[in-house]
């Protein structure tokens, strides 16, 4: 059984001095999203204070499925290797209807990616990795520091904080509210929370066992071992397995959490001969909801404090880490006065778009999994029956559309295409990975990018790259991709040709990438003026 660490509480020095801490950014909440913000800001050299009202990691596995895009973000934050080494890699899912396999799917059939489709790792283990990474950057969470109030100021925000030894205040240029679904910051500001509560209950059980099931996502509609409607089985780290069972709205959640109710359900699923131990049990309901805006003057909301979705599809934790990825480079530029505060509007617009997309997919998944009428159930069951033999029906099955990053195509930060690309990441979409060689060693393309603005130049004859290096080399990285080796400091050999293929790149093609590795613009043969205009647009200074 996992024993969570207990982090030390230290009385803030402000209690014995001025009573006020001054910083550029205050972060409320040290879950995965708040920690991602802290690590990213630390890497950008921004002064911040991060507080949490607890002194340990989260209880229970909670979020467990970390998608490929999130893993790529964790790579940039210096956590990816530890997460992937500790977690369970998977890409295959199986969908069962009653007692038969309907079909299976492969989320990453093409090779040549550094990271898998998903890593399963309990949220508390991810948090431990991130706390260690923050410490390696010479920063620490202020544990047992509880936010009890926030007020806007003309030049920032004031956060009132309660500790075991008294209260003090943090005055910051900006406050990031990463304090979860029951956000105290959101409630203090009295912000409206709009959405839909789903009238159903689900049991989560974390079970320790030596299972011989493959490392795949197994989902049952109307399983023969459980009369509740649906079931899910997922492997996690350290011999832990996640089991989700649909219970129905009328059940008593307190009764259903009792071991004498839980154990027979799990035994019916796993078989009477299999030994297991219960580690954590919860009965939950869920909602799909969000704030109307995520930016409120100097207070910015991220993760579950800004939006919530159902657990189907692993969209909650992944979208929260992607919020942090989108926000922090912009906030760093603003506090350094490299960009105007209006750049935050692109965070608001892009992540509201992402929340809407996730809520839509999450609500559709819930409607398919838990049909609310006789007609919708008959339709669902017909689709499932057809899916066993007909590929067209499989596209209609929705056991939780799994997390994918949002492509912000209409963003004010993106320059629309003027050239014809037949595929590849369009402006607003995240860059795609590919194997390359750097100084003769195998490497990942995405590992060479991010944290700054990059120009990715596919240039056999070097003419385009040399011109851009001359013009922009002092302010951003000009990375060259070519078939053979190069002596340039930022030259990548596309030995397998996958980078050129995935970017639909002919010689002379150029991609402008933001610090969060999203595409800001792309061209077949750009002029210096076009690149400069796109760069200023992405930086919010056009």
């Amino acid at each position: 059984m996992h024993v969570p660490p207990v982090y030390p509480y230290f009385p803030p020095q402000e209690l014995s001095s001025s009573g006020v801490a001054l910083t550029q950014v205050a972060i409320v909440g040290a879950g995965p999203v708040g920690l991602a913000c802290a690590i990213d800001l630390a890497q950008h050299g921004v002064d911040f204070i991060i507080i949490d009202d607890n002194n340990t990691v989260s209880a229970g596995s909670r979020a467990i499925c970390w998608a490929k895009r999130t893993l790529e973000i964790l790579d940039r934050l210096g956590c990816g290797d530890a997460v992937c080494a500790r977690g369970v890699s998977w890409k295959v899912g199986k969908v069962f209807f009653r007692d038969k396999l309907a079909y299976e799917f492969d989320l990453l059939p093409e090779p040549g990616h550094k990271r898998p489709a998903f890593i399963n790792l309990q949220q508390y283990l991810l948090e431990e990795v991130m706390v260690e990474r923050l410490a390696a950057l010479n920063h620490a969470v202020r544990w047992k520091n509880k936010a009890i109030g926030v007020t806007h100021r003309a030049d920032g925000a004031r956060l009132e904080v309660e500790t075991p030894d008294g209260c003090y205040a943090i005055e910051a240029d900006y406050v990031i509210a990463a304090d979860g679904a029951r956000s105290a910051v959101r409630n203090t500001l009295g912000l409206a929370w709009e959405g839909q509560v789903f009238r159903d209950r689900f049991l989560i059980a974390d079970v320790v066992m030596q299972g011989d099931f493959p490392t795949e996502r197994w989902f049952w509609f109307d399983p023969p071992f459980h009369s509740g409607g649906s079931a899910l089985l997922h492997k996690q780290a350290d011999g832990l397995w996640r089991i989700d069972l649909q219970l129905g709205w009328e059940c008593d959640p307190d009764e259903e959490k009792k071991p004498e109710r839980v154990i027979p359900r799990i035994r019916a699923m796993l078989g009477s001969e299999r030994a297991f131990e219960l580690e954590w049990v919860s009965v939950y309901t869920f909602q799909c909801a969000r704030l109307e805006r995520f930016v409120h003057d100097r207070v910015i909301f991220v993760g579950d404090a800004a939006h919530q979705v159902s657990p189907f599809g692993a969209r909650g934790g992944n979208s929260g880490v992607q919020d942090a990825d989108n926000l922090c480079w912009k906030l760093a530029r603003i506090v350094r006065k490299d960009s105007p505060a209006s750049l935050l509007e692109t965070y608001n617009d892009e992540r509201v778009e992402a929340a809407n997309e996730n809520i839509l997919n999450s609500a559709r998944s819930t409607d398919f999994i838990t049909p609310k009428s006789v007609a919708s159930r008959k339709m669902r069951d017909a689709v499932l029956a057809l899916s066993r033999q007909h590929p067209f029906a499989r596209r209609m099955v929705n056991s939780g559309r799994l997390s994918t990053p949002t492509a912000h195509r209409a963003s004010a930060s993106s320059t629309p295409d003027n050239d014809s690309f037949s595929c590849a990441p369009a402006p607003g979409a995240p860059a795609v990975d590919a194997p390359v060689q750097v100084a003769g060693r195998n490497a990942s393309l995405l590992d060479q990018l991010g944290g700054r603005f990059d120009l990715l130049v596919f240039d056999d004859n070097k003419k385009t790259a040399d011109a851009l290096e001359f013009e922009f080399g002092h302010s951003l990285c000009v990375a060259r991709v070519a078939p053979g080796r190069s002596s340039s400091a930022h030259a990548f050999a596309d030995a397998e040709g996958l980078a050129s293929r995935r970017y639909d790149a002919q010689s002379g093609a150029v991609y402008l990438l933001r610090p969060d590795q999203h595409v800001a613009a792309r061209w077949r043969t750009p002029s210096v003026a076009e690149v400069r205009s796109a760069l200023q647009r992405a930086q919010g200074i056009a």
Side-chain angles (χ1 to χ4, degrees):
M1 180 172 291
H2 177 259
V3 178
V6 176
Y7 298 111
Y9 158 75
F10 298 104
Q13 63 180 11
E14 291 79 18
L15 291 175
S16 58
S17 56
S18 65
V20 178
L22 302 177
T23 189
Q24 291 176 308
V25 179
I27 305 168
V28 182
V33 182
L35 288 167
C37 289
I39 294 168
D40 210 354
L41 291 176
Q43 293 185 164
H44 281 290
V46 174
D47 183 59
F48 66 90
I49 295 172
I50 177 171
I51 67 171
D52 194 274
D53 60 2
N54 207 339
N55 66 338
T56 188
V57 293
S58 60
S61 58
R62 299 182 184 271
I64 64 167
C65 299
W66 305 102
K68 180 175 181 290
R69 179 60 199 144
T70 300
L71 297 173
E72 291 162 352
I73 295 168
L74 292 173
D75 276 336
R76 189 178 60 75
L77 298 180
C79 303
D81 286 344
V83 168
C84 291
R86 190 74 190 272
V88 175
S89 171
W90 68 275
K91 65 171 186 168
V92 172
K94 290 180 179 175
V95 176
F96 299 87
F97 182 35
R98 298 180 181 139
D99 60 345
K100 292 184 172 59
L101 174 67
Y103 68 96
E104 65 179 68
F105 56 86
D106 188 334
L107 293 169
L108 195 64
E110 185 184 49
H113 295 268
K114 178 183 176 182
R115 294 307 183 198
F118 277 90
I119 287 285
N120 282 4
L121 186 69
Q122 298 92 298
Q123 180 174 321
Y124 53 76
L125 294 179
L126 173 64
E127 290 174 5
E128 289 179 25
V129 168
M130 298 180 83
V131 170
E132 290 174 6
R133 172 59 179 158
L134 190 62
L137 294 168
N138 297 315
H139 291 275
V141 178
R142 292 191 178 192
W143 303 104
K144 305 289 281 186
N145 280 233
K146 181 180 180 181
I148 57 174
V150 62
T151 53
H152 295 296
R153 298 162 59 90
D155 56 351
R158 181 182 173 97
L159 196 65
E160 303 296 335
V161 182
E162 181 182 74
T163 78
D165 295 306
C167 296
Y168 71 103
I170 300 174
E171 292 185 358
D173 296 339
Y174 291 91
V175 171
I176 298 176
D179 53 342
R182 297 181 177 88
S183 171
V185 176
R186 188 181 69 221
N187 293 337
T188 296
L189 293 177
L191 299 176
W193 189 241
E194 301 174 356
Q196 175 186 5
V197 177
F198 288 85
R199 291 173 60 84
D200 217 325
R201 300 188 196 277
F202 289 79
L203 171 76
I204 290 180
D206 283 349
V207 173
V208 180
M209 67 176 179
Q210 295 301 314
D212 53 2
F213 304 105
T215 55
E216 301 170 345
R217 179 185 190 264
W218 285 10
F219 190 97
W220 287 263
F221 291 94
D222 297 343
F225 51 79
H226 175 64
S227 60
S230 69
L232 177 70
L233 178 68
H234 246 322
K235 186 177 182 180
Q236 304 179 68
D238 299 340
L240 199 69
W241 295 75
R242 160 72 69 82
I243 295 172
D244 285 45
L245 297 172
Q246 184 181 353
L247 298 177
W249 181 248
E250 302 303 325
C251 78
D252 183 330
D254 292 328
E255 287 295 314
E256 294 297 341
K257 286 189 289 188
K258 293 179 178 178
E260 59 266 29
R261 296 284 293 171
V262 176
I263 290 173
R265 294 184 186 278
I266 296 175
R267 189 165 286 133
M269 180 182 192
L270 301 178
S272 58
E273 72 286 351
R274 190 177 300 277
F276 63 86
E277 292 181 35
L278 284 179
E279 181 166 294
W280 182 68
V281 176
S282 179
V283 173
Y284 67 89
T285 58
F286 54 84
Q287 59 183 322
C288 290
R290 69 168 177 85
L291 290 171
E292 181 180 0
R293 286 182 52 82
F294 296 170
V295 178
H296 292 263
D297 295 331
R298 298 298 185 101
V299 181
I300 307 161
F301 291 85
V302 294
D304 283 354
H307 48 76
Q308 289 177 253
V309 294
S310 80
F312 307 125
R315 294 175 175 273
N318 285 292
S319 63
V321 173
Q322 290 160 25
D323 287 349
D325 187 48
N326 187 293
L327 170 64
C328 288
W329 70 268
K330 298 173 181 177
L331 202 54
R333 289 189 61 85
I334 291 167
V335 299
R336 291 196 304 259
K337 303 191 184 307
D338 292 333
S339 291
S342 58
L343 183 62
L344 278 181
E345 280 304 299
T346 66
Y347 166 76
N348 182 80
D349 294 345
E350 290 177 356
R351 298 317 295 169
V352 165
E353 177 191 17
N356 288 341
E357 182 178 294
N358 285 320
I359 287 171
L360 176 63
N361 281 289
S362 182
R364 285 174 174 172
S365 295
T366 303
D367 289 341
F368 192 88
I369 292 168
T370 61
K372 297 302 187 290
S373 69
V374 173
S376 60
R377 177 172 288 276
K378 286 183 176 180
M379 177 65 180
R380 188 203 71 175
D381 290 354
V383 168
L384 287 166
L386 287 168
S387 69
R388 291 172 181 160
Q389 294 182 325
H390 300 285
F392 83 88
R394 294 169 192 168
R395 294 190 294 271
M396 302 168 65
V397 176
N398 195 336
S399 64
R401 298 285 187 220
L402 288 160
S403 174
T404 54
T406 300
H408 305 295
R409 294 184 177 88
S411 171
S413 290
S414 300
T415 298
D417 280 336
N418 292 320
D419 297 300
S420 174
F421 284 80
S422 61
C423 59
V432 294
D433 200 12
V436 294
Q437 290 187 341
V438 180
R441 61 177 178 83
N442 295 331
S444 156
L445 177 62
L446 288 184
D447 278 351
Q448 320 308 314
L449 307 170
R452 70 207 165 193
F453 280 93
D454 292 291
L455 281 173
L456 190 59
V457 185
F458 295 83
D459 191 7
D460 293 346
N461 59 27
K462 300 184 181 180
K463 181 179 178 181
T464 301
D466 287 345
L468 294 174
E469 181 77 51
F470 177 81
E471 188 67 30
F472 299 104
H474 64 286
S475 59
L476 50 74
C477 176
V478 179
R480 307 165 187 239
V481 181
R485 293 188 179 185
S486 172
S487 59
S488 171
H490 298 287
F492 316 134
D494 186 17
E496 299 179 39
L498 287 176
S500 295
R501 191 178 80 199
R502 288 174 183 168
Y503 285 82
D504 188 24
Q506 303 163 10
S507 183
V510 176
Y511 280 74
L512 174 62
L513 303 180
R514 308 186 327 191
D516 58 5
Q517 298 176 332
H518 279 245
V519 177
R522 61 181 180 175
W523 307 267
R524 289 294 185 195
T525 52
S527 67
V528 167
E530 287 175 318
V531 174
R532 182 180 296 109
S533 175
L535 179 61
Q536 291 175 341
R537 178 171 181 156
Q539 294 172 338
I541 56 179

